[in-house]
Amino acid sequence: MCPRGGRWLGGSGGPLAQATLTAHCLLVEAGNALVLVDTGLGTADVASPKRLGQPFRALVRPQCREGETAVRQIERAGLDPQDVRHVVVTHLDVDHAGGLGDFPEAEVHVLAPELPAAKNPPLRERGRYVPAQWAHGPRWAEHEVAGDRWFGFESVRLLEDLDVEIAMVPLLGHSTGHAGIAVNTGQGWLFHCGDAYFHHDEVATPPSCPIGLRLFQNVVGHDRDLRRHNQGRLQALAREYRHDVHLVCSHDPVYMGPAGRAEELTGAAGAEPGR
Ligand SMILES: [Zn+2]
């Protein structure tokens, strides 16, 4: 996504310079199954970008390249998209749920408050959800939090029958039922925090954020106080457990690392993706 905003959005240059925002997804190999965390934009969004809505397209300026969709990247990695049995979403915003239709057989796991909010949003939140992205009728698995703990956070353990540890951790504020998704990689936890924060320095000590990104989060957020409260908890988590937990968020390109960055900047959609 290439919004105007330059360094005010974490890029470089003046207010009309193009910034780059990613929509990170995680692919987890769990025995014979694949688990996808978030879906970004999907092939149907690329085929008809209009369904994303004019305000989103004008503001965020998504590039809509089919080669960058999760399903095509999975194919390029030599894996079969039909093995994606489960999709876990941080939330159902337009830039996170777009690829759901590319995995029509997958069970879709979501924190319980998010689905009713997405299906029946109040007027001011109607633009953020695109019902066409789940019009195929996925099998939803709505998760309530039931007493599990993860590094002091409430959580719910997912997919216990698979050979992987995944925890859904409520991080409310950005949307009604927003969650982070923690995956035990065997070498520490990788914690996909979705849109709980937008810039890596927001969970640094001391925290900071480019002003444009801060404004954007305030405008689109569901509950500002809750969001800030949870950002504070994430900052403490990153500080106290820096050897155990690696945090990433959806939209900061820094998490792609140098190789991913080079691919992105050259637009080399056919390049070998990092695994
Ligand atoms: Zn987002």
PDB file of all heavy atoms in Angstrom, residues 1 23-25 38-41 87 89-100 133 174 178 192 194-195 198 250-251:
ATOM      1  N   MET A   1       0.863  -1.170   0.000  1.00  0.00           N
ATOM      2  CA  MET A   1       0.000   0.000   0.000  1.00  0.00           C
ATOM      3  C   MET A   1       0.897   1.216   0.000  1.00  0.00           C
ATOM      4  O   MET A   1       1.896   1.247   0.714  1.00  0.00           O
ATOM      5  CB  MET A   1      -0.911  -0.033   1.240  1.00  0.00           C
ATOM      6  CG  MET A   1      -1.809  -1.280   1.238  1.00  0.00           C
ATOM      7  SD  MET A   1      -2.918  -1.428   2.638  1.00  0.00           S
ATOM      8  CE  MET A   1      -1.794  -2.078   3.868  1.00  0.00           C
ATOM      9  N   ALA A  23       1.174  -5.534   4.360  1.00  0.00           N
ATOM     10  CA  ALA A  23       0.087  -6.224   5.075  1.00  0.00           C
ATOM     11  C   ALA A  23       0.609  -7.630   5.362  1.00  0.00           C
ATOM     12  O   ALA A  23       0.295  -8.579   4.648  1.00  0.00           O
ATOM     13  CB  ALA A  23      -1.186  -6.255   4.237  1.00  0.00           C
ATOM     14  N   HIS A  24       1.423  -7.742   6.403  1.00  0.00           N
ATOM     15  CA  HIS A  24       2.122  -9.006   6.668  1.00  0.00           C
ATOM     16  C   HIS A  24       1.162 -10.133   7.018  1.00  0.00           C
ATOM     17  O   HIS A  24       0.248  -9.968   7.823  1.00  0.00           O
ATOM     18  CB  HIS A  24       3.094  -8.847   7.840  1.00  0.00           C
ATOM     19  CG  HIS A  24       4.245  -7.948   7.550  1.00  0.00           C
ATOM     20  ND1 HIS A  24       5.127  -8.168   6.523  1.00  0.00           N
ATOM     21  CD2 HIS A  24       4.660  -6.812   8.149  1.00  0.00           C
ATOM     22  CE1 HIS A  24       6.043  -7.220   6.520  1.00  0.00           C
ATOM     23  NE2 HIS A  24       5.780  -6.382   7.482  1.00  0.00           N
ATOM     24  N   CYS A  25       1.400 -11.283   6.414  1.00  0.00           N
ATOM     25  CA  CYS A  25       0.704 -12.517   6.769  1.00  0.00           C
ATOM     26  C   CYS A  25       1.773 -13.511   7.232  1.00  0.00           C
ATOM     27  O   CYS A  25       2.912 -13.451   6.780  1.00  0.00           O
ATOM     28  CB  CYS A  25      -0.022 -13.113   5.565  1.00  0.00           C
ATOM     29  SG  CYS A  25      -1.082 -11.955   4.691  1.00  0.00           S
ATOM     30  N   ASP A  38      -3.806 -14.001   9.039  1.00  0.00           N
ATOM     31  CA  ASP A  38      -4.219 -12.864   8.208  1.00  0.00           C
ATOM     32  C   ASP A  38      -4.076 -13.201   6.712  1.00  0.00           C
ATOM     33  O   ASP A  38      -3.332 -14.113   6.329  1.00  0.00           O
ATOM     34  CB  ASP A  38      -3.453 -11.585   8.562  1.00  0.00           C
ATOM     35  CG  ASP A  38      -4.190 -10.731   9.610  1.00  0.00           C
ATOM     36  OD1 ASP A  38      -5.247 -11.182  10.104  1.00  0.00           O
ATOM     37  OD2 ASP A  38      -3.726  -9.618   9.912  1.00  0.00           O
ATOM     38  N   THR A  39      -4.808 -12.465   5.892  1.00  0.00           N
ATOM     39  CA  THR A  39      -4.811 -12.812   4.461  1.00  0.00           C
ATOM     40  C   THR A  39      -4.486 -11.634   3.555  1.00  0.00           C
ATOM     41  O   THR A  39      -4.384 -11.813   2.340  1.00  0.00           O
ATOM     42  CB  THR A  39      -6.185 -13.385   4.027  1.00  0.00           C
ATOM     43  OG1 THR A  39      -7.166 -12.345   4.049  1.00  0.00           O
ATOM     44  CG2 THR A  39      -6.624 -14.536   4.924  1.00  0.00           C
ATOM     45  N   GLY A  40      -4.329 -10.426   4.098  1.00  0.00           N
ATOM     46  CA  GLY A  40      -4.044  -9.275   3.234  1.00  0.00           C
ATOM     47  C   GLY A  40      -5.140  -9.061   2.206  1.00  0.00           C
ATOM     48  O   GLY A  40      -6.307  -9.366   2.447  1.00  0.00           O
ATOM     49  N   LEU A  41      -4.749  -8.533   1.052  1.00  0.00           N
ATOM     50  CA  LEU A  41      -5.687  -8.416  -0.062  1.00  0.00           C
ATOM     51  C   LEU A  41      -5.617  -9.696  -0.874  1.00  0.00           C
ATOM     52  O   LEU A  41      -4.580 -10.349  -0.942  1.00  0.00           O
ATOM     53  CB  LEU A  41      -5.341  -7.204  -0.929  1.00  0.00           C
ATOM     54  CG  LEU A  41      -5.417  -5.848  -0.215  1.00  0.00           C
ATOM     55  CD1 LEU A  41      -4.990  -4.721  -1.154  1.00  0.00           C
ATOM     56  CD2 LEU A  41      -6.821  -5.579   0.319  1.00  0.00           C
ATOM     57  N   VAL A  87      -7.415 -20.480   8.721  1.00  0.00           N
ATOM     58  CA  VAL A  87      -6.976 -19.089   8.640  1.00  0.00           C
ATOM     59  C   VAL A  87      -7.310 -18.442   9.981  1.00  0.00           C
ATOM     60  O   VAL A  87      -8.415 -18.619  10.498  1.00  0.00           O
ATOM     61  CB  VAL A  87      -7.694 -18.331   7.496  1.00  0.00           C
ATOM     62  CG1 VAL A  87      -7.341 -16.846   7.539  1.00  0.00           C
ATOM     63  CG2 VAL A  87      -7.330 -18.924   6.145  1.00  0.00           C
ATOM     64  N   VAL A  89      -7.451 -14.789  11.819  1.00  0.00           N
ATOM     65  CA  VAL A  89      -7.380 -13.361  11.485  1.00  0.00           C
ATOM     66  C   VAL A  89      -7.210 -12.519  12.751  1.00  0.00           C
ATOM     67  O   VAL A  89      -7.795 -12.818  13.790  1.00  0.00           O
ATOM     68  CB  VAL A  89      -8.626 -12.869  10.706  1.00  0.00           C
ATOM     69  CG1 VAL A  89      -8.639 -13.443   9.303  1.00  0.00           C
ATOM     70  CG2 VAL A  89      -9.913 -13.176  11.431  1.00  0.00           C
ATOM     71  N   THR A  90      -6.395 -11.470  12.627  1.00  0.00           N
ATOM     72  CA  THR A  90      -6.275 -10.515  13.739  1.00  0.00           C
ATOM     73  C   THR A  90      -7.564  -9.715  13.872  1.00  0.00           C
ATOM     74  O   THR A  90      -7.975  -9.357  14.966  1.00  0.00           O
ATOM     75  CB  THR A  90      -5.093  -9.559  13.524  1.00  0.00           C
ATOM     76  OG1 THR A  90      -5.283  -8.843  12.284  1.00  0.00           O
ATOM     77  CG2 THR A  90      -3.765 -10.322  13.459  1.00  0.00           C
ATOM     78  N   HIS A  91      -8.183  -9.425  12.733  1.00  0.00           N
ATOM     79  CA  HIS A  91      -9.467  -8.737  12.683  1.00  0.00           C
ATOM     80  C   HIS A  91      -9.932  -8.782  11.237  1.00  0.00           C
ATOM     81  O   HIS A  91      -9.271  -9.401  10.392  1.00  0.00           O
ATOM     82  CB  HIS A  91      -9.367  -7.312  13.237  1.00  0.00           C
ATOM     83  CG  HIS A  91      -8.453  -6.371  12.491  1.00  0.00           C
ATOM     84  ND1 HIS A  91      -7.118  -6.648  12.248  1.00  0.00           N
ATOM     85  CD2 HIS A  91      -8.676  -5.151  11.933  1.00  0.00           C
ATOM     86  CE1 HIS A  91      -6.567  -5.641  11.595  1.00  0.00           C
ATOM     87  NE2 HIS A  91      -7.496  -4.722  11.373  1.00  0.00           N
ATOM     88  N   LEU A  92     -11.060  -8.165  10.929  1.00  0.00           N
ATOM     89  CA  LEU A  92     -11.672  -8.365   9.607  1.00  0.00           C
ATOM     90  C   LEU A  92     -11.682  -7.109   8.747  1.00  0.00           C
ATOM     91  O   LEU A  92     -12.460  -7.010   7.792  1.00  0.00           O
ATOM     92  CB  LEU A  92     -13.105  -8.917   9.778  1.00  0.00           C
ATOM     93  CG  LEU A  92     -13.143 -10.371  10.274  1.00  0.00           C
ATOM     94  CD1 LEU A  92     -14.567 -10.749  10.720  1.00  0.00           C
ATOM     95  CD2 LEU A  92     -12.664 -11.323   9.182  1.00  0.00           C
ATOM     96  N   ASP A  93     -10.808  -6.164   9.037  1.00  0.00           N
ATOM     97  CA  ASP A  93     -10.696  -4.983   8.178  1.00  0.00           C
ATOM     98  C   ASP A  93     -10.383  -5.397   6.737  1.00  0.00           C
ATOM     99  O   ASP A  93      -9.777  -6.441   6.491  1.00  0.00           O
ATOM    100  CB  ASP A  93      -9.574  -4.062   8.678  1.00  0.00           C
ATOM    101  CG  ASP A  93     -10.057  -3.075   9.726  1.00  0.00           C
ATOM    102  OD1 ASP A  93     -11.258  -3.062  10.036  1.00  0.00           O
ATOM    103  OD2 ASP A  93      -9.212  -2.310  10.248  1.00  0.00           O
ATOM    104  N   VAL A  94     -10.734  -4.507   5.823  1.00  0.00           N
ATOM    105  CA  VAL A  94     -10.617  -4.740   4.385  1.00  0.00           C
ATOM    106  C   VAL A  94      -9.227  -5.218   3.956  1.00  0.00           C
ATOM    107  O   VAL A  94      -9.099  -6.061   3.062  1.00  0.00           O
ATOM    108  CB  VAL A  94     -11.016  -3.451   3.634  1.00  0.00           C
ATOM    109  CG1 VAL A  94     -10.272  -2.238   4.192  1.00  0.00           C
ATOM    110  CG2 VAL A  94     -10.786  -3.538   2.165  1.00  0.00           C
ATOM    111  N   ASP A  95      -8.174  -4.726   4.624  1.00  0.00           N
ATOM    112  CA  ASP A  95      -6.808  -5.063   4.212  1.00  0.00           C
ATOM    113  C   ASP A  95      -6.271  -6.305   4.922  1.00  0.00           C
ATOM    114  O   ASP A  95      -5.101  -6.656   4.772  1.00  0.00           O
ATOM    115  CB  ASP A  95      -5.865  -3.872   4.435  1.00  0.00           C
ATOM    116  CG  ASP A  95      -5.984  -3.287   5.830  1.00  0.00           C
ATOM    117  OD1 ASP A  95      -7.072  -3.362   6.430  1.00  0.00           O
ATOM    118  OD2 ASP A  95      -4.984  -2.742   6.336  1.00  0.00           O
ATOM    119  N   HIS A  96      -7.141  -6.991   5.665  1.00  0.00           N
ATOM    120  CA  HIS A  96      -6.723  -8.212   6.370  1.00  0.00           C
ATOM    121  C   HIS A  96      -7.556  -9.417   5.959  1.00  0.00           C
ATOM    122  O   HIS A  96      -7.098 -10.553   6.082  1.00  0.00           O
ATOM    123  CB  HIS A  96      -6.818  -8.007   7.888  1.00  0.00           C
ATOM    124  CG  HIS A  96      -5.934  -6.913   8.386  1.00  0.00           C
ATOM    125  ND1 HIS A  96      -4.744  -7.138   9.022  1.00  0.00           N
ATOM    126  CD2 HIS A  96      -6.055  -5.554   8.273  1.00  0.00           C
ATOM    127  CE1 HIS A  96      -4.165  -5.977   9.308  1.00  0.00           C
ATOM    128  NE2 HIS A  96      -4.943  -4.998   8.862  1.00  0.00           N
ATOM    129  N   ALA A  97      -8.783  -9.159   5.476  1.00  0.00           N
ATOM    130  CA  ALA A  97      -9.717 -10.248   5.161  1.00  0.00           C
ATOM    131  C   ALA A  97      -9.870 -10.471   3.664  1.00  0.00           C
ATOM    132  O   ALA A  97     -10.621 -11.360   3.245  1.00  0.00           O
ATOM    133  CB  ALA A  97     -11.091  -9.937   5.777  1.00  0.00           C
ATOM    134  N   GLY A  98      -9.149  -9.699   2.841  1.00  0.00           N
ATOM    135  CA  GLY A  98      -9.348  -9.762   1.396  1.00  0.00           C
ATOM    136  C   GLY A  98      -9.060 -11.109   0.778  1.00  0.00           C
ATOM    137  O   GLY A  98      -9.663 -11.493  -0.223  1.00  0.00           O
ATOM    138  N   GLY A  99      -8.129 -11.857   1.379  1.00  0.00           N
ATOM    139  CA  GLY A  99      -7.751 -13.142   0.802  1.00  0.00           C
ATOM    140  C   GLY A  99      -8.580 -14.318   1.299  1.00  0.00           C
ATOM    141  O   GLY A  99      -8.328 -15.464   0.903  1.00  0.00           O
ATOM    142  N   LEU A 100      -9.569 -14.084   2.146  1.00  0.00           N
ATOM    143  CA  LEU A 100     -10.353 -15.215   2.679  1.00  0.00           C
ATOM    144  C   LEU A 100     -10.932 -16.073   1.558  1.00  0.00           C
ATOM    145  O   LEU A 100     -10.944 -17.297   1.636  1.00  0.00           O
ATOM    146  CB  LEU A 100     -11.492 -14.700   3.578  1.00  0.00           C
ATOM    147  CG  LEU A 100     -11.089 -14.153   4.960  1.00  0.00           C
ATOM    148  CD1 LEU A 100     -12.319 -13.637   5.693  1.00  0.00           C
ATOM    149  CD2 LEU A 100     -10.398 -15.229   5.779  1.00  0.00           C
ATOM    150  N   GLN A 133     -15.907  -9.816   0.866  1.00  0.00           N
ATOM    151  CA  GLN A 133     -14.702 -10.617   1.115  1.00  0.00           C
ATOM    152  C   GLN A 133     -15.013 -11.927   1.840  1.00  0.00           C
ATOM    153  O   GLN A 133     -14.188 -12.836   1.847  1.00  0.00           O
ATOM    154  CB  GLN A 133     -13.677  -9.796   1.909  1.00  0.00           C
ATOM    155  CG  GLN A 133     -13.094  -8.624   1.106  1.00  0.00           C
ATOM    156  CD  GLN A 133     -12.145  -7.761   1.911  1.00  0.00           C
ATOM    157  OE1 GLN A 133     -12.254  -7.676   3.137  1.00  0.00           O
ATOM    158  NE2 GLN A 133     -11.228  -7.084   1.235  1.00  0.00           N
ATOM    159  N   HIS A 174      -8.110  -1.220  18.233  1.00  0.00           N
ATOM    160  CA  HIS A 174      -8.120  -0.849  16.820  1.00  0.00           C
ATOM    161  C   HIS A 174      -9.478  -1.201  16.203  1.00  0.00           C
ATOM    162  O   HIS A 174     -10.058  -0.408  15.470  1.00  0.00           O
ATOM    163  CB  HIS A 174      -6.993  -1.555  16.076  1.00  0.00           C
ATOM    164  CG  HIS A 174      -7.029  -1.319  14.590  1.00  0.00           C
ATOM    165  ND1 HIS A 174      -6.649  -0.118  14.022  1.00  0.00           N
ATOM    166  CD2 HIS A 174      -7.432  -2.115  13.560  1.00  0.00           C
ATOM    167  CE1 HIS A 174      -6.806  -0.194  12.713  1.00  0.00           C
ATOM    168  NE2 HIS A 174      -7.276  -1.396  12.403  1.00  0.00           N
ATOM    169  N   HIS A 178     -10.336  -7.052  17.992  1.00  0.00           N
ATOM    170  CA  HIS A 178      -8.978  -7.198  17.465  1.00  0.00           C
ATOM    171  C   HIS A 178      -8.144  -8.103  18.373  1.00  0.00           C
ATOM    172  O   HIS A 178      -8.219  -8.020  19.598  1.00  0.00           O
ATOM    173  CB  HIS A 178      -8.323  -5.818  17.359  1.00  0.00           C
ATOM    174  CG  HIS A 178      -6.974  -5.842  16.717  1.00  0.00           C
ATOM    175  ND1 HIS A 178      -5.838  -6.217  17.394  1.00  0.00           N
ATOM    176  CD2 HIS A 178      -6.584  -5.563  15.453  1.00  0.00           C
ATOM    177  CE1 HIS A 178      -4.805  -6.152  16.574  1.00  0.00           C
ATOM    178  NE2 HIS A 178      -5.228  -5.762  15.385  1.00  0.00           N
ATOM    179  N   HIS A 192       2.296 -11.846  16.055  1.00  0.00           N
ATOM    180  CA  HIS A 192       1.718 -10.967  15.030  1.00  0.00           C
ATOM    181  C   HIS A 192       0.661 -10.098  15.706  1.00  0.00           C
ATOM    182  O   HIS A 192      -0.406 -10.585  16.066  1.00  0.00           O
ATOM    183  CB  HIS A 192       1.096 -11.814  13.915  1.00  0.00           C
ATOM    184  CG  HIS A 192       0.694 -11.035  12.693  1.00  0.00           C
ATOM    185  ND1 HIS A 192       0.052  -9.826  12.756  1.00  0.00           N
ATOM    186  CD2 HIS A 192       0.848 -11.309  11.370  1.00  0.00           C
ATOM    187  CE1 HIS A 192      -0.182  -9.381  11.531  1.00  0.00           C
ATOM    188  NE2 HIS A 192       0.303 -10.257  10.666  1.00  0.00           N
ATOM    189  N   GLY A 194      -0.981  -7.583  14.461  1.00  0.00           N
ATOM    190  CA  GLY A 194      -1.978  -6.972  13.577  1.00  0.00           C
ATOM    191  C   GLY A 194      -1.847  -5.464  13.543  1.00  0.00           C
ATOM    192  O   GLY A 194      -0.760  -4.916  13.298  1.00  0.00           O
ATOM    193  N   ASP A 195      -2.946  -4.775  13.810  1.00  0.00           N
ATOM    194  CA  ASP A 195      -2.953  -3.314  13.791  1.00  0.00           C
ATOM    195  C   ASP A 195      -2.978  -2.721  15.201  1.00  0.00           C
ATOM    196  O   ASP A 195      -3.378  -1.578  15.386  1.00  0.00           O
ATOM    197  CB  ASP A 195      -4.166  -2.803  12.996  1.00  0.00           C
ATOM    198  CG  ASP A 195      -3.988  -3.017  11.497  1.00  0.00           C
ATOM    199  OD1 ASP A 195      -2.952  -3.583  11.088  1.00  0.00           O
ATOM    200  OD2 ASP A 195      -4.887  -2.625  10.729  1.00  0.00           O
ATOM    201  N   PHE A 198       1.367   0.390  14.603  1.00  0.00           N
ATOM    202  CA  PHE A 198       1.659   0.527  13.173  1.00  0.00           C
ATOM    203  C   PHE A 198       3.144   0.703  12.871  1.00  0.00           C
ATOM    204  O   PHE A 198       3.573   0.470  11.755  1.00  0.00           O
ATOM    205  CB  PHE A 198       0.890   1.726  12.582  1.00  0.00           C
ATOM    206  CG  PHE A 198      -0.487   1.397  12.089  1.00  0.00           C
ATOM    207  CD1 PHE A 198      -1.413   0.785  12.926  1.00  0.00           C
ATOM    208  CD2 PHE A 198      -0.879   1.701  10.795  1.00  0.00           C
ATOM    209  CE1 PHE A 198      -2.693   0.482  12.486  1.00  0.00           C
ATOM    210  CE2 PHE A 198      -2.152   1.404  10.338  1.00  0.00           C
ATOM    211  CZ  PHE A 198      -3.061   0.796  11.186  1.00  0.00           C
ATOM    212  N   SER A 250       1.264  -5.468  11.331  1.00  0.00           N
ATOM    213  CA  SER A 250       0.877  -5.706   9.933  1.00  0.00           C
ATOM    214  C   SER A 250       1.571  -4.781   8.947  1.00  0.00           C
ATOM    215  O   SER A 250       1.998  -5.210   7.879  1.00  0.00           O
ATOM    216  CB  SER A 250      -0.632  -5.514   9.766  1.00  0.00           C
ATOM    217  OG  SER A 250      -1.334  -6.503  10.465  1.00  0.00           O
ATOM    218  N   HIS A 251       1.666  -3.511   9.287  1.00  0.00           N
ATOM    219  CA  HIS A 251       1.868  -2.528   8.223  1.00  0.00           C
ATOM    220  C   HIS A 251       3.250  -1.894   8.179  1.00  0.00           C
ATOM    221  O   HIS A 251       3.470  -0.962   7.409  1.00  0.00           O
ATOM    222  CB  HIS A 251       0.787  -1.449   8.321  1.00  0.00           C
ATOM    223  CG  HIS A 251      -0.596  -1.991   8.134  1.00  0.00           C
ATOM    224  ND1 HIS A 251      -0.927  -2.799   7.069  1.00  0.00           N
ATOM    225  CD2 HIS A 251      -1.724  -1.876   8.882  1.00  0.00           C
ATOM    226  CE1 HIS A 251      -2.209  -3.135   7.166  1.00  0.00           C
ATOM    227  NE2 HIS A 251      -2.713  -2.598   8.251  1.00  0.00           N
TER     228      HIS A 251
END
